[in-house]
Amino acid sequence: MNHHHSPVARKTTQLRPKDVTTLPDYALKIDACPPLVDPRAIRSCLALMDQAAVNGGSACHWGGPSALAELLSALYANVYQLKTTSGNWDEQLNLVNDIGHAHNAFYALYALYKLISYQELNGFRSMNSKLTGHGEGHLFPEGVLLSNGPLGSTIPQAQGLALGDKLNKNLRKTLCFVSDGAMMEGEVKEALAAIPGMFSKNILNPFILVISDNNTKLSGRIEKDSFSMQPTFDSLSPLGWETIKLDGHNLAACSQLFQELLSRPLESFKKPIAIIAKTIKGYGIKSTAESSSGGHGYPLKAYDENLLSFLKELWQGAEVPAFFQTWAQELIKKPATDSASKSASANPTPTDKVQAGFGKAAVASKQKGIPVLSVTSDLPGSTGIAPFIKSFPEASFDVGIAESNMVSVATGLSKVGFVPIVDTFAAFGVTKGNLPLIMSSLSNAPIIALYTHTGFQDAADGASHQSLTYASALGSIPGVDLVAPATSKEAEELLTLAIERQNQSWEKNISCPSTIFFAGRENFPVEVTYTATSPSRAWGLPRTLIQGNGPTVLISYGPLVHECLKAAEVLKNATVINHLFLNHFDASFYVDFFKSSHSQGQKKWNIIFVEDHQKIGGVGSWFFSKLWETLSNASDVHTTIHQVAHLAVQGEFGQSAYTAQELYAHHGLNAQAIVKQAKQMLT
C-alpha cells in the first residue's frame, strides 16, 4: 500500500516579479547573463537600512550580508527566469537561507526587484516591520521560507524539504545558503553526512548547498581563534558531495554557475552539490573587509555624516546614484533634542551591562589561584568574559560556533578539577546546551554558564534570538542553580561566590550544582540602592530592595527588577523583592516576611510577579505554587493573599524592535503596566 501523500502546493508562494521580463533597479548586463542587480546597489541598500535602524537605537549586521551581494544578485537573476505553468518559480526551487545575520541582503534584493518598497527597508528591525533582524517565516512567510537565526538549524530543515518533495513527487530542487561558521555546529555535521547518504538511496530530491567561506565569525578569524575549517571542506567529497569552488565576488562566474544548476534536469544530479564560495566579509569597505570580524556589526553611529563617504567608497569611484544620496541625507539629519532629555543627560545614573561584572569576577578569581578556565563559543565580547580571555589567553579556549560541544568540553574539564566557565546567548545555550547540561549533572561534573541576551533583551535580532523559555528549559534539571543578577555589581558578587563554591567542592570532595547565570543585553544601573534593611547575601535567598508599608508586593528578577523599581516610585508604598535565584524558593524567607509585615499591621497582600518569560513554565507559575504550599502549611502565619497577578509573555513569539522597552510595553511588562495592574488590584 502506498502511504505517500499526493503532491501538495505550498500554502504561501514566495515573492516574485510580475513576469520574467521585469528588470530590477540598477540592472547590469554582463555577457550571456540575465539582467543582474548591481552589487553596489545591494550594499547601498544594506548601509541605508542599517543606518535607519541604528538611528532608532538598534544594532545591525553589515559584514555578512555585504559578503553575499554578488552571490544573491546572480542567484535571483536566474531564479526569477524560472518558468512554470503557474508562473511560480518556487514550484521549481526551495530557496533557503541559514545565514540569519545576512538576511537583510535578501530584503535589499526584494526592494531592488520592486517586491517591497524602499520605505519598508527604512523600517528594518523596527517594532512594526516584517523585516526582522533575522529572517522570520511566521511574520514574513512570502519572503522567508524557513526561519533562521541560530546558525545551522535551517540546513537539516532544508533536508526535510528535499525529502518531502521526493515523497510528493514534486519536481523541485532545494538550495540553501550557509556560512562557514555554521559548518561548526553539530546539527550541520549530521546533515552533511545524511544528505548525500539519503540522496544515494534515491529518497532525496537534488540539494545545492552554497557555503560562504570567509574564515570569519563574530569575534574574529575562525582559523586564528578556533581552528581551520579546511578539513571540513575536504571531507565533503568523501561524504558523497560534488564540490565546486567559486569566487563569490565574480558576478559573471556566479551567474553562469547558478544558471547551469537551476536549468539542469533533476535526473542529471548524481550527487548533492556543495559550492564553496570564497567571500570577503565586509566586502566593499576597506576597513570592514580588513577587520578581524569582517565588520560583523554595522560600523557607523546614529545620524553619522560618514554615511556619505561610506556610500562613495561602495561605488568605487563612480557617481553615487542620486536616489541613494538623497536617502542618505535624510538619514543623517539629527532630530531636535528636547530640554527633558538634556536635563536627564546632565545628571546620569551610572550604568553598565550586567555582564561587565562577570569579567571582573572571573579575572579576580583566577588571580587568587583558582583554576578557572574559559570555554567559549564565539561570543565572549557580548557575554562579558572577554576581559578574562584577554588577561589569561592560556586559560581560554574557543571551540568555534558549537554550543553543545562547549558545554560537554566544560563537563570534562570540571571532572578533572578545573572551574570551567562557558558563555553564549541564552537562546543558544538553553537549547543546544540542554542535553549536555543534563549529562554534566549526571556525571557530577558541575559547570558555570554565562547565558546573556535573555528574554526580550536581544530586541533587534528578533524572535530566534529572544530566549523566552530559559528558566523552564533548565530550571527542573537536578543539580542546576539558575541565577539572574539585576546589576553588574550583583553579577560580580554572585559569580565570585559561584566560582569559590565550585572550587571548594572540588577541594573538599563534595557535590556541587552547576550555576547558570542569565543576564540581559542593555545597560542598567551599576547597582541598586536598598531602601529596605540590608538584605542577606546568603546564596539562594531573595533580596528585599524596598520595604513598603502598603499591600502591593512586586517580585521579579534580572532586567525587569528595574521596571518594578520604577513602578514602586509611582506607587509610593509598594514592596519590591528581587527573586534572583530562579529555581530556589526559600520558604523561611517568605514566612518571615509575612510574619513581620503582619506584626506591623499589614494582613492582606496583592502580589505581582513580573518576568520576560513565557507564562507557561515561567518562574512566576512555579513561585505561586510554592507560595501557596508554604503558607497553607505555616500555621503561625496569619495573613491573606488577597490577589495575585503573573505578568509574563502570553504564549507568543517575540519580534524585532529597536529596544527591549518597546517589547516590554507591547507585552504589558513595563513599569506603566505594573502600575496599572497594581492599581486595579487596589480598587
Side-chain angles (χ1 to χ4, degrees):
M1 182 181 294
N2 185 356
H3 295 283
H4 294 169
H5 297 291
S6 300
V8 292
R10 218 189 288 286
K11 289 183 179 179
T12 304
T13 57
Q14 299 295 282
L15 291 172
R16 64 191 186 279
K18 291 180 179 179
D19 58 62
V20 296
T21 64
T22 300
L23 289 177
D25 291 340
Y26 308 101
L28 294 174
K29 191 68 176 74
I30 301 176
D31 301 329
C33 302
L36 302 155
V37 175
D38 191 327
R40 297 174 297 183
I42 297 174
R43 294 189 176 97
S44 296
C45 286
L46 287 172
L48 292 161
M49 65 196 292
D50 277 2
Q51 186 67 57
V54 168
N55 287 353
S58 170
C60 289
H61 296 114
W62 160 255
S66 70
L68 294 184
E70 284 80 9
L71 286 164
L72 289 182
S73 172
L75 176 63
Y76 273 88
N78 287 282
V79 164
Y80 289 152
Q81 295 294 310
L82 295 176
K83 298 178 182 178
T84 65
T85 54
S86 66
N88 297 339
W89 62 265
D90 56 4
E91 291 180 1
Q92 291 193 43
L93 183 71
N94 296 311
L95 206 169
V96 176
N97 175 40
D98 184 73
I99 315 174
H101 56 273
H103 211 85
N104 46 340
F106 288 77
Y107 302 151
L109 254 294
Y110 297 156
L112 289 160
Y113 273 98
K114 308 178 186 70
L115 303 174
I116 61 175
S117 69
Y118 291 107
Q119 186 56 39
E120 286 180 276
L121 295 187
N122 248 353
F124 174 51
R125 289 189 168 224
S126 67
M127 183 76 180
N128 298 315
S129 176
K130 62 187 177 184
L131 307 184
T132 49
H134 297 73
E136 295 181 23
H138 72 297
L139 295 178
F140 190 19
E142 69 276 24
V144 182
L145 179 56
L146 292 175
S147 297
N148 51 51
L151 292 177
S153 63
T154 314
I155 301 168
Q157 294 177 17
Q159 176 187 341
L161 292 175
L163 174 60
D165 278 339
K166 189 70 173 183
L167 294 174
N168 280 333
K169 298 181 174 60
N170 292 330
L171 303 179
R172 186 159 47 201
K173 304 162 188 151
T174 294
L175 185 147
C176 181
F177 279 91
V178 63
S179 65
D180 49 355
M183 300 278 283
M184 307 173 98
E185 290 281 14
E187 58 194 314
V188 175
K189 295 185 182 300
E190 293 171 5
L192 291 177
I195 289 170
M198 296 180 75
F199 189 87
S200 69
K201 289 191 167 188
N202 196 30
I203 55 175
L204 216 64
N205 267 17
F207 196 102
I208 303 166
L209 188 66
V210 183
I211 304 165
S212 179
D213 172 24
N214 48 53
N215 188 33
T216 313
K217 52 189 179 64
L218 186 151
S219 60
R221 300 299 178 188
I222 293 175
E223 188 167 358
K224 179 179 180 294
D225 292 351
S226 302
F227 44 82
S228 171
M229 292 300 296
Q230 192 57 50
T232 297
F233 299 147
D234 292 343
S235 71
L236 294 176
S237 182
L239 283 172
W241 292 82
E242 177 187 341
T243 59
I244 300 172
K245 292 185 178 180
L246 176 68
D247 177 355
H249 298 298
N250 185 323
L251 189 57
C254 292
S255 180
Q256 289 162 10
L257 177 59
F258 287 133
Q259 188 174 41
E260 189 274 321
L261 292 176
L262 294 180
S263 61
R264 186 190 293 184
L266 268 68
E267 61 273 12
S268 69
F269 282 80
K270 304 306 179 186
K271 295 180 179 181
I273 308 292
I275 301 170
I276 304 172
K278 199 65 182 176
T279 59
I280 298 173
K281 194 172 178 181
Y283 191 84
I285 298 294
K286 186 174 185 292
S287 61
T288 58
E290 293 179 351
S291 73
S292 61
S293 70
H296 186 84
Y298 179 64
L300 301 186
K301 295 178 169 47
Y303 307 103
D304 199 327
E305 293 183 357
N306 290 315
L307 177 60
L308 300 173
S309 58
F310 198 89
L311 291 176
K312 187 176 181 180
E313 184 175 350
L314 286 177
W315 283 86
Q316 304 162 339
E319 183 73 17
V320 178
F323 174 73
F324 293 136
Q325 291 191 52
T326 301
W327 188 357
Q329 290 287 356
E330 293 171 355
L331 291 172
I332 63 177
K333 291 178 184 176
K334 294 182 180 179
T337 305
D338 59 43
S339 57
S341 298
K342 290 180 180 177
S343 175
S345 61
N347 298 292
T349 300
T351 63
D352 203 351
K353 295 185 185 299
V354 171
Q355 48 265 54
F358 294 149
K360 294 175 182 177
V363 168
S365 297
K366 185 71 172 178
Q367 289 171 339
K368 292 177 185 176
I370 298 176
V372 178
L373 298 178
S374 165
V375 184
T376 189
S377 182
D378 186 40
L379 299 172
S382 301
T383 59
I385 200 65
F388 179 91
I389 295 172
K390 183 177 180 180
S391 299
F392 303 102
E394 75 286 352
S396 305
F397 307 92
D398 188 328
V399 298
I401 303 171
E403 297 83 4
S404 179
N405 183 252
M406 173 184 70
V407 175
S408 294
V409 168
T411 298
L413 288 168
S414 172
K415 200 66 177 173
V416 292
F418 291 99
V419 180
I421 300 176
V422 303
D423 68 284
T424 187
F425 292 174
F428 312 147
V430 302
T431 51
K432 298 186 180 188
N434 192 297
L435 179 58
L437 183 60
I438 292 173
M439 299 312 296
S440 169
S441 287
L442 283 172
S443 298
N444 194 24
I447 67 165
I448 295 173
L450 312 177
Y451 291 161
T452 65
H453 296 56
T454 54
F456 290 128
Q457 278 289 298
D458 197 357
D461 278 334
S464 67
H465 282 52
Q466 292 162 1
S467 181
L468 300 177
T469 58
Y470 54 97
S472 58
L474 303 186
S476 61
I477 300 175
V480 173
D481 286 350
L482 307 185
V483 187
T487 68
S488 59
K489 287 283 189 183
E490 215 167 58
E492 182 178 0
E493 169 207 342
L494 294 168
L495 179 55
T496 299
L497 289 174
I499 291 171
E500 291 174 348
R501 180 174 73 152
Q502 185 161 330
N503 186 52
Q504 289 171 6
S505 74
W506 176 253
E507 292 176 347
K508 297 176 182 179
N509 196 27
I510 57 176
S511 62
C512 172
S514 290
T515 308
I516 314 300
F517 285 91
F518 295 117
R521 174 187 181 274
E522 298 178 355
N523 283 22
F524 297 95
V526 171
E527 58 185 329
V528 172
T529 301
Y530 296 89
T531 61
T533 304
S534 182
S536 169
R537 301 286 173 157
W539 189 268
L541 283 181
R543 298 179 178 182
T544 303
L545 307 183
I546 298 176
Q547 180 67 64
N549 57 8
T552 302
V553 182
L554 309 178
I555 304 175
S556 191
Y557 56 86
L560 289 183
V561 165
H562 302 281
E563 295 303 306
C564 288
L565 291 171
K566 292 176 193 174
E569 290 180 11
V570 178
L571 296 169
K572 303 301 183 185
N573 57 1
T575 294
V576 178
I577 296 175
N578 181 5
H579 192 84
L580 66 169
F581 294 94
L582 308 191
N583 58 344
H584 276 246
F585 183 91
D586 192 278
S588 61
F589 171 88
Y590 287 102
V591 167
D592 290 346
F593 171 80
F594 288 118
K595 286 173 65 176
S596 173
S597 300
H598 185 275
S599 68
Q600 297 173 29
Q602 187 60 51
K603 300 178 181 179
K604 288 187 177 181
W605 296 97
N606 296 329
I607 301 177
I608 304 174
F609 199 104
V610 192
E611 57 182 327
D612 59 342
H613 189 285
Q614 294 291 352
K615 188 169 189 175
I616 296 176
V619 177
S621 299
W622 176 80
F623 170 85
F624 282 122
S625 173
K626 294 295 291 182
L627 182 63
W628 289 122
E629 181 182 328
T630 297
L631 295 182
S632 63
N633 292 319
S635 58
D636 57 341
V637 178
H638 305 290
T639 190
T640 301
I641 304 299
H642 184 229
Q643 295 181 78
V644 300
H646 182 191
L647 303 186
V649 184
Q650 303 289 335
E652 303 173 70
F653 285 116
Q655 63 195 87
S656 284
Y658 290 151
T659 66
Q661 276 296 325
E662 294 176 80
L663 292 166
Y664 292 156
H666 179 72
H667 289 272
L669 303 175
N670 63 355
Q672 290 84 350
I674 297 169
V675 169
K676 181 180 179 181
Q677 179 66 52
K679 289 182 176 179
Q680 286 177 350
M681 296 168 82
L682 289 170
T683 57

